[in-house]
DNA sequence: AGTATTTGTCACAAAATTGCAATGATACCT
DNA sequence: AGGTATCATTGCAATTTTGTGACAAATACT
């Protein structure tokens, strides 16, 4: 539930101010005073969102943001830029580069929190680590494992092996069942906004997910809704005879 | 194929963000920072679609939209409203006034592009995702399912399978019941304005819809009004008095 | 560095949907 | 009753949408 937010800001006072407010709101906060430091921290802990000061000592915020967008693990992390300047070209550069939002100093803590919430809201499945169990499938985010919860198939451990993307896809579907998701929606919520990927790529990952589920006979949970998208449903998909 | 899209947005950063993404997708983009400027531009170039910020400096977005709807040349241009507010009355006002869709900030670039494509492809209202329940039928846009809500045929699976067009047709009919719609009106509202399709084709889709409803004995809800069109009504049609 | 996974895209196959036209049925009018 | 306009029904070809395997690039692992 508690999202982790990384602050990259060289001015200690502002860093403290933000940090205090975010912790107060219930976020886990990581602080870095330079882009270099931030880069190291990212290797250890992946934040759910980055607050990035535009003006940094050595490496500019822009540069750091680009690095984030390049790395496979980090490319989907939302970035909110903090900028003191009202320089238009900066905003433009930042947004083109893929920042999710920007906020100009001075800002009110309330506004900052509001923007953070807004950006996180349209994000990957709520950062919950709770075990999801639907339709005879059990997915555990902490252990990163998917198993069949109906026993019948076998007394053996019936673990389903998935690639990272298929795992996130299944996680999202299992936490948003019965509802039809368009390919675009899935890309936004499972891949992330700035990741530019063909719509049809979703098909392929759905296919991979289904193939994995076939082994345990659970593949009919992932259903195609023609002209609309895909759906995870425990109800039979064919009303036929 | 490159459609021209006009952005009317006073905040330069957002204007840039949108503009960048749309150009990236292959659209030709025109930018205006005010309604006045937009009006002038429209005299030179007719865009295929207008992205309109709700809050503008002098003339409001609503006002500009009305102007567009008044002009003979511009009345058919689809409008997508950009709104920071989630105020219901705004949505309603905007949609009633003739906006084709609305999108609330913050939005993801992909979602925006998806909506633009959807609107350009067929000017569908698709305003509500609310479940519609009439005459013992239940249609849920989010799960994309149609079921019978009377219990009687319980043993059977009560789901009704429809193709995309029949689904949209039924959705429209169920949200506009007890009223006769001409074939042209149905084509406009269900297929979209600029689509050229024979009037008679509606008959075929009505037939397909009826056939699907026959399975659960609900086909008499879709009634023919000779010389006028079709109607969805819960009242029995044997009007022979 | 080398190897194994993972990922996105493409091309083609398969399946479903769509619109039209031709034909048959029905209601309305004189 | 007959004539005519309107609607119903069906088959079919064209189009659209989705499934699937292969492949190359990118990334992670040793």
């Amino acid at each position: 539930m508690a999202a982790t937010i990384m602050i990259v800001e060289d001015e200690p006072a502002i860093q403290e101010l933000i940090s205090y407010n975010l912790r107060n709101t219930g976020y886990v906060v990581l602080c870095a005073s330079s882009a270099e430091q931030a880069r190291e921290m990212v290797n250890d802990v992946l934040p759910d969102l980055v607050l990035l000061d535009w003006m940094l000592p050595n490496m500019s915020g822009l540069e750091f943001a680009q690095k984030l967008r390049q790395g496979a693990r980090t490319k989907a992390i939302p970035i909110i830029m903090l900028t003191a300047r009202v320089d238009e070209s900066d905003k433009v550069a930042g947004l083109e580069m893929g920042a999710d939002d920007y906020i100009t100093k001075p800002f009110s803590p309330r506004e900052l929190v509001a923007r953070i919430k807004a950006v996180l809201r349209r994000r990957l499945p709520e950062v919950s680590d709770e075990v999801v169990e639907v339709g005879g499938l059990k997915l555990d985010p902490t252990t990163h494992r998917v198993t069949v919860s109906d026993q019948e198939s076998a007394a053996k451990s019936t673990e389903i092996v998935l690639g990272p993307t298929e795992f996130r896809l299944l996680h999202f579907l299992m936490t948003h069942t019965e509802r039809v998701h368009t390919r675009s929606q899935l890309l936004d919520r499972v891949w992330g906004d700035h990741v530019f990927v063909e719509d049809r790529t979703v098909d392929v990952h759905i296919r991979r997910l289904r193939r994995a589920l076939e082994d345990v006979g659970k593949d009919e949970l992932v259903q195609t809704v023609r002209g609309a998208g895909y759906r995870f449903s425990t109800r039979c998909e064919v009303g036929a005879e």
Side-chain angles (χ1 to χ4, degrees), chain A:
Chain A
M1 185 60 168
T4 303
I5 296 176
M6 183 161 86
I7 305 171
V8 189
E9 164 67 63
D10 59 316
E11 183 123 13
I14 297 183
Q15 190 184 99
E16 256 316 309
L17 172 66
I18 299 174
S19 167
Y20 171 79
N21 276 291
L22 294 190
R23 277 188 235 272
N24 223 29
T25 315
Y27 294 110
V28 176
V29 178
L30 308 172
C31 288
S33 305
S34 71
E36 289 77 9
Q37 194 185 343
R39 280 228 279 167
E40 284 179 25
M41 290 179 81
V42 164
N43 288 331
D44 296 333
V45 189
L46 272 188
D48 298 299
L49 185 146
V50 173
L51 283 179
L52 181 59
D53 189 1
W54 195 236
M55 301 297 287
L56 288 173
N58 302 316
M59 193 191 301
S60 84
L62 180 66
E63 218 171 322
F64 176 62
Q66 283 174 330
K67 295 273 189 233
L68 278 184
R69 286 285 179 257
Q70 278 166 17
R73 277 207 331 263
T74 58
K75 73 168 67 155
I77 300 176
I79 298 174
I80 296 181
M81 295 188 346
L82 305 175
T83 163
R85 304 203 274 166
V86 204
D87 192 331
E88 277 316 318
S89 61
D90 278 3
K91 284 187 189 174
V92 169
L95 288 166
E96 283 193 355
M97 177 268 342
D100 291 75
D101 202 352
Y102 64 90
I103 186 168
T104 54
K105 304 178 189 175
F107 49 81
S108 78
R110 195 181 308 120
E111 183 185 359
L112 179 62
V113 170
R115 299 223 185 195
I116 288 175
K117 280 185 180 166
V119 169
L120 284 180
R121 196 178 311 129
R122 58 179 167 85
R123 270 298 136 191
L124 313 177
E126 311 305 326
V127 202
S128 81
D129 280 354
E130 289 163 38
V131 176
V132 197
E133 189 161 1
V134 192
L137 281 183
K138 193 164 78 170
L139 182 148
D140 187 339
T142 60
T143 64
H144 220 264
R145 279 195 158 157
V146 184
T147 52
V148 212
S149 45
D150 316 321
Q151 65 301 348
E152 51 157 327
S153 318
K156 308 284 296 180
S157 73
T158 47
E159 176 158 1
I160 299 160
V161 190
L162 295 175
T165 303
E166 283 75 43
F167 185 86
R168 289 200 309 273
L169 179 58
L170 181 60
H171 189 193
F172 175 77
L173 289 175
M174 286 180 69
T175 47
H176 300 81
T177 64
E178 299 301 335
R179 175 182 292 263
V180 176
H181 310 281
T182 66
R183 293 179 174 74
S184 291
Q185 286 168 343
L186 288 174
L187 286 176
D188 277 352
R189 308 283 313 258
V190 178
W191 274 255
D193 290 353
H194 348 271
V195 188
F196 292 103
V197 171
E198 290 292 319
D199 268 16
R200 290 301 308 279
T201 296
V202 175
D203 295 27
V204 178
H205 285 274
I206 286 282
R207 158 69 177 145
R208 288 168 182 158
L209 176 56
R210 277 175 177 160
R211 179 148 50 190
L213 294 179
E214 271 173 22
D215 299 341
V216 293
K218 290 293 180 187
D219 58 305
E220 298 205 342
L221 292 170
V222 180
Q223 305 170 356
T224 302
V225 179
R226 221 152 219 277
Y230 295 97
R231 172 177 61 194
F232 186 99
S233 171
T234 57
R235 292 160 50 190
C236 187
E237 66 175 317
V238 258
E241 51 284 64

